[in-house]
Amino acid sequence: MSRLMRPPYIDPTTGIAYDTDKGDYEGYLTKQSMWLRDWRRRFFILKGSRLFFAKTPYETPHGMIDLSRCTTVKSADLKAHKKHSFEISTPETTYLLYADDEKSKDDWIGS
């Protein structure tokens, strides 16, 4: 039986296609949306220094965080008003995310 392959992420600015199949670490996190500020559960794929996110495990990812440009990754329970939350900051923006439990949060931060 063949395994489903995840489509690549296409960077909307550069047109570069990034392979997102067989990530180094994968799983669900909840991310605060950039525009509406509501919380949305997304499937995250860590591959190398890039963190991709999609609605489901096998949909085309619709976003990417370049962790090589990351300035900080730290707990953010107070800032996000959510348990098990953390932030990823880049020069351009700060992403707020939370995991289902503390172990999952620690696993993501450590990955």
Side-chain angles (χ1 to χ4, degrees), residues 1 8-9 15-17 23 29-30 44-45 48 52 54 56 60-61 66 72-73 75 80 87 92 104 110:
M1 184 171 177
Y9 170 76
I16 295 172
L29 292 168
T30 303
F44 281 78
I45 306 108
F52 303 94
T56 67
T60 301
D66 186 350
T72 59
V73 176
S75 290
E87 67 178 58
E92 294 80 25
S104 181

Side-chain angles (χ1 to χ4, degrees), residues 6 12 20 43 57 79 85-86 90 101 110:
R6 184 181 302 114
T20 62
F43 190 80
K79 185 174 185 177
S85 64
F86 60 100
T90 68
D101 53 51

Side-chain angles (χ1 to χ4, degrees), residues 67 70-75 86-89 105 108-110:
L67 298 176
C70 177
T71 56
T72 59
V73 176
K74 61 184 179 182
S75 290
F86 60 100
E87 67 178 58
I88 300 172
S89 297
K105 171 188 161 182
W108 275 106
I109 290 174

Side-chain angles (χ1 to χ4, degrees), residues 4-107:
L4 289 174
M5 300 224 6
R6 184 181 302 114
Y9 170 76
I10 309 296
D11 188 308
T13 305
T14 64
I16 295 172
Y18 293 96
D19 176 32
T20 62
D21 205 36
K22 298 180 184 173
D24 302 324
Y25 195 80
E26 301 181 359
Y28 279 97
L29 292 168
T30 303
K31 182 179 92 58
Q32 189 176 53
S33 72
M34 300 303 291
W35 309 112
L36 299 176
R37 299 287 184 213
D38 57 341
W39 293 92
R40 297 177 181 170
R41 190 164 172 85
R42 295 291 183 246
F43 190 80
F44 281 78
I45 306 108
L46 176 64
K47 189 155 188 178
S49 64
R50 293 182 174 88
L51 185 60
F52 303 94
F53 50 95
K55 289 184 180 180
T56 67
Y58 289 99
E59 278 190 46
T60 301
H62 60 272
M64 175 184 76
I65 303 169
D66 186 350
L67 298 176
S68 68
R69 299 185 38 77
C70 177
T71 56
T72 59
V73 176
K74 61 184 179 182
S75 290
D77 289 8
L78 293 175
K79 185 174 185 177
H81 306 289
K82 301 281 185 186
K83 285 185 178 181
H84 321 302
S85 64
F86 60 100
E87 67 178 58
I88 300 172
S89 297
T90 68
E92 294 80 25
T93 192
T94 296
Y95 299 88
L96 290 174
L97 306 106
Y98 70 85
D100 292 338
D101 53 51
E102 196 68 20
K103 181 190 179 317
S104 181
K105 171 188 161 182
D106 292 342
D107 289 347

